[in-house]
Amino acid sequence: MSLSGLPRVLVTSNETPTTGIDLLRTKCDLTIIPATVSTREQVLQALPGHDAVFLVSHHKVDNEFLDIAGPNLKVVSTMSAGYDHLDVPEIKRRGIKVGHTPMVLSAAVAEIAVLLMLAAARRAHEGRTMLEQSQLKMGPQWLLGHDLRGSTVGIFGLGNIGQMIVKRLMGFEVGRFIYTGHSRKKAGDELGATFVSFDDLLEQSDFLVVAAPLNNETRGLFNDSVFDKMKKTAIFVNIARGQIVNTDSLVRALRNKKIFAAGLDVTDPEPLPPDHELLKLPNAEIIPHLGSATIKTRNDMSTIAAQNILNGLEGKPLVYPL
Ligand code: DGY
């Protein structure tokens, strides 16, 4: 509680969309860190005594964070769907509520997946680079790519985002949708997608899109032996988390043409240093984690993150609890 009697909420960026900030201001006393992307030190310094924290970027919430926050902390709200930066069991063990913002970003992330599939398959980055370097050859065999039409699209993780990707691809006359995960899903049946084993997904996909969360099962899963099982013509897309992929293995797969191309919204490390090997590869389409970066989506995420806090402080169920 602040002197005004209102609960104190720490917001970790001064560029948080105002939709959420305006909502919080009606009932809370806000501390907004004066940085677009605050450092961990700034957050830890400002943290003690707050009743809730609104995480705009992926600050790690671990024992150290929770100890420094102290006993007042009642809600941790991350403005993201992914929550691999949060020690959820420990947060809950301490009786603190924790929420995230899934669903509202699924359409925007699915659009980015389609963008990367097409850009990687049609060699957009390579073509642009050649244009800039006056290396145009323009012959009938030059810069040929692959069609989505008639292809087999494999989704690794048919959650809300995976399903949205399939829905958005319906107009492309895709030959077949396949997916893998823990179990066959009703949503998969409804979309006409076939549940397959992980190995079948690797062996059969012309486009393989990673749309699963990062956890102990998926961390580093896409390594040399996995890329070895994929088609030489495969297009690999990751819109989930960079750490699901072993970056050195991906670089080898792209350089040695074990696969045709990759489209990446997420990488490990993130951000990629400008001289990183991945950025030198002609067959890697890379964008800097822009999946949810539309005005409407970020506004919606901010509103949900704020509502999670208000609900938590008022003893109501969060909109999207973890
Ligand atoms: C998410 O919400 O998890 C997106 O990756 C943006 O952080």
Side-chain angles (χ1 to χ4, degrees):
M1 289 282 178
S2 64
L3 286 178
S4 59
L6 296 174
R8 297 180 62 210
V9 177
L10 178 66
V11 181
T12 65
S13 163
N14 63 3
E15 284 196 3
T16 307
T18 51
T19 47
I21 297 297
D22 292 345
L23 195 59
L24 285 174
R25 272 198 211 289
T26 59
K27 295 185 179 169
C28 306
D29 190 3
L30 304 189
T31 309
I32 302 180
I33 296 182
T36 306
V37 182
S38 51
T39 61
R40 180 168 177 86
E41 288 64 40
Q42 286 174 302
V43 176
L44 294 184
Q45 202 182 5
L47 191 55
H50 283 87
D51 296 276
V53 58
F54 184 128
L55 295 168
V56 186
S57 42
H58 294 182
H59 289 293
K60 230 183 164 88
V61 177
D62 51 12
N63 269 312
E64 182 194 31
F65 186 105
L66 297 168
D67 288 345
I68 290 176
N72 277 357
L73 191 65
K74 296 166 193 70
V75 190
V76 171
S77 175
T78 181
M79 196 182 109
S80 64
Y83 51 88
D84 45 280
H85 52 300
L86 309 179
D87 184 346
V88 174
E90 180 58 25
I91 297 171
K92 288 166 103 163
R93 196 191 64 74
R94 294 183 186 223
I96 298 166
K97 294 184 178 156
V98 51
H100 66 147
T101 64
M103 315 304 267
V104 289
L105 48 58
S106 301
V109 178
E111 287 177 8
I112 281 284
V114 176
L115 176 150
L116 288 168
M117 292 168 82
L118 291 169
R122 302 303 294 272
R123 306 170 73 168
H125 167 65
E126 199 177 347
R128 164 79 191 229
T129 308
M130 291 191 163
L131 195 55
E132 286 174 1
Q133 295 171 352
S134 296
Q135 284 183 14
L136 302 186
K137 300 199 183 86
M138 303 308 281
Q141 296 292 340
W142 186 63
L143 274 191
L144 300 187
H146 292 283
D147 293 283
L148 252 174
R149 179 169 46 100
S151 69
T152 295
V153 172
I155 309 283
F156 179 72
L158 195 72
N160 196 253
I161 292 174
Q163 292 165 35
M164 290 275 196
I165 295 170
V166 173
K167 284 183 190 158
R168 269 144 194 81
L169 291 175
M170 290 293 182
F172 285 91
E173 298 174 38
V174 167
R176 193 167 169 245
F177 290 104
I178 57 177
Y179 69 100
T180 199
H182 284 134
S183 58
R184 181 171 164 177
K185 293 196 169 186
K186 191 162 166 271
D189 295 346
E190 284 163 7
L191 290 166
T194 307
F195 180 68
V196 296
S197 68
F198 184 49
D199 274 0
D200 282 349
L201 190 89
L202 299 175
E203 284 159 19
Q204 295 174 23
S205 296
D206 297 307
F207 290 80
L208 196 159
V209 186
V210 177
L214 173 67
N215 52 38
N216 289 339
E217 271 178 278
T218 59
R219 192 180 304 277
L221 181 65
F222 285 79
N223 57 18
D224 288 278
S225 66
V226 163
F227 287 115
D228 282 343
K229 289 180 185 158
M230 288 173 60
K231 293 185 180 182
K232 289 209 169 359
T233 50
I235 288 116
F236 175 78
V237 170
N238 188 3
I239 47 84
R241 284 290 181 267
Q243 289 171 56
I244 295 176
V245 178
N246 179 310
T247 302
D248 292 341
S249 301
L250 177 60
V251 168
R252 276 190 287 277
L254 289 167
R255 195 191 285 127
N256 302 333
K257 307 277 165 38
K258 282 195 216 171
I259 61 172
F260 182 75
L264 309 172
D265 184 36
V266 290
T267 54
D268 178 28
E270 197 169 301
L272 280 180
D275 60 347
H276 195 277
E277 210 47 43
L278 267 179
L279 290 168
K280 298 180 189 148
L281 293 168
N283 52 350
E285 298 284 337
I286 304 175
I287 52 174
H289 206 147
L290 296 177
S292 66
T294 72
I295 296 166
K296 175 168 170 34
T297 299
R298 288 279 164 86
N299 283 346
D300 291 348
M301 291 167 75
S302 179
T303 303
I304 302 279
Q307 197 62 56
N308 275 339
I309 289 179
L310 293 180
N311 286 15
L313 292 175
E314 288 169 5
K316 298 180 192 156
L318 306 199
V319 189
Y320 291 112
L322 286 167

